[in-house]
Amino acid sequence: ETVRVSNIENSALGQYDIYVDADYSLNNGVGSNLRPFNDLATAISNSGSGASILVKGSHVISSEITLPHSLYFYGADDAEVKFASYSASNGDLMSFNG
């Protein structure tokens, strides 16, 4: 029997709604466990309210991320979200008004 990528992406192997991996080098990421987004902002903008996002790798942000709705973030062992360098003016990593 043939196994399709969509079968794996939609199986129990995918326990989170969206996957984002800073080290994923292909540009055709769709947010699945096999083809994650490689950018945190893209993952957030493609999420729905209450979605769970698994974060992998080191995500360097240039400004505070304002969340559009409630989200759940889960981190792999190597996950980090950070500014390139410390500055008191950086603000928070993420915020939500609502």
Side-chain angles (χ1 to χ4, degrees), residues 40-56:
L40 187 59
T42 302
I44 292 170
S45 67
N46 282 280
S47 69
S49 181
S52 60
I53 298 177
L54 178 67
V55 179
K56 292 177 152 184

Side-chain angles (χ1 to χ4, degrees), residues 61 63-65 83 90-95:
I61 61 172
S63 62
E64 183 176 333
I65 297 172
F83 288 101
N90 280 346
D92 296 326
L93 290 174
M94 297 181 193
S95 65

Side-chain angles (χ1 to χ4, degrees), residues 52-84:
S52 60
I53 298 177
L54 178 67
V55 179
K56 292 177 152 184
S58 180
H59 297 268
V60 179
I61 61 172
S62 57
S63 62
E64 183 176 333
I65 297 172
T66 302
L67 301 176
H69 41 251
S70 64
L71 292 167
Y72 296 93
F73 290 93
Y74 300 88
D77 288 341
D78 66 341
E80 60 182 355
V81 178
K82 63 183 183 176
F83 288 101

Side-chain angles (χ1 to χ4, degrees), residues 8-9 11-12 15 25 27 34 38 42 48 54 57 60 74 78-79 82:
I8 296 171
E9 289 176 331
S11 73
Q15 67 186 57
S25 60
N27 290 328
L34 294 179
N38 60 10
T42 302
L54 178 67
V60 179
Y74 300 88
D78 66 341
K82 63 183 183 176

Side-chain angles (χ1 to χ4, degrees), residues 24-43:
Y24 185 72
S25 60
L26 300 177
N27 290 328
N28 65 346
V30 296
S32 70
N33 53 351
L34 294 179
R35 296 185 296 157
F37 293 120
N38 60 10
D39 177 71
L40 187 59
T42 302

